[in-house]
Amino acid sequence: GSSEDFPDAPDFDLPIIANAEGQLSLESLKGSVTYLDFWASWCGPCRLSLPALDALYQELAPEGLKVVAVSVDVVEEDALDFLKRYAVSYPVVIDTEGEVPTAYDVGGMPSGYLIDRDGRVRSVHVGFKRGDEEELREEIKALLVD
């Protein structure tokens, strides 16, 4: 397929609230396979998706996978309280304004965007149930060897 088949992932630059310092931009992840996960503290399935993603991240980070969680909570404390209970090891950023979910046309929580090394959105995963990470693992592995 040509590069026209997949839309470019909108760039962003957001403050990091966990597992790193400063700001994080999508541009800085170019060249890596990246899973961008929009979540919220009030989202039930996110209690499953964050730990499941963290397991994938631990497994595939050595092969080049990057994961970024984007909290859409309006209050940072709510996001941090959630992360105390469901800790992850990848960077978590927050968008209290909701501009980035709008740019990505996020439909539900969680919404995950699998982005290839060229910064194109290859697949979108809305919602999460136990076992979804298996399909996601296959998709990620396919992009990592690409």
Side-chain angles (χ1 to χ4, degrees):
S2 73
S3 58
E4 302 307 304
D5 301 347
F6 301 105
D8 285 334
D11 194 23
F12 59 81
D13 194 9
L14 290 171
I16 298 168
I17 59 169
N19 304 322
E21 298 288 317
Q23 300 267 128
L24 190 142
S25 69
L26 188 65
E27 187 62 33
S28 69
L29 302 171
K30 266 251 170 88
S32 300
V33 174
T34 302
Y35 192 74
L36 190 63
D37 183 50
F38 291 90
W39 67 282
S41 62
W42 41 261
C43 152
C46 294
R47 294 172 195 172
L48 291 176
S49 64
L50 271 82
L53 278 177
D54 199 50
L56 274 184
Y57 174 69
Q58 306 265 7
E59 177 191 341
L60 298 174
E63 295 172 43
L65 174 67
K66 305 268 196 244
V67 176
V68 178
V70 182
S71 165
V72 301
D73 280 293
V74 179
V75 181
E76 189 175 316
E77 277 70 32
D78 293 346
L80 292 171
D81 284 346
F82 182 99
L83 292 169
K84 282 196 192 98
R85 283 176 296 162
Y86 307 97
V88 296
S89 50
Y90 46 81
V92 182
V93 298
I94 193 164
D95 180 4
T96 54
E97 305 295 319
E99 284 167 17
V100 180
T102 302
Y104 277 82
D105 200 19
V106 171
M109 288 289 134
S111 281
Y113 294 75
L114 184 56
I115 301 167
D116 67 17
R117 297 183 196 278
D118 296 320
R120 299 189 307 256
V121 177
R122 301 296 288 265
S123 68
V124 182
H125 294 259
V126 182
F128 193 90
K129 56 189 189 307
R130 215 177 288 283
D132 282 0
E133 66 271 18
E134 298 307 323
E135 181 193 341
L136 184 55
R137 176 190 281 113
E138 296 312 308
E139 284 183 25
I140 290 168
K141 290 190 94 128
L143 287 183
L144 285 170
V145 297
D146 203 8

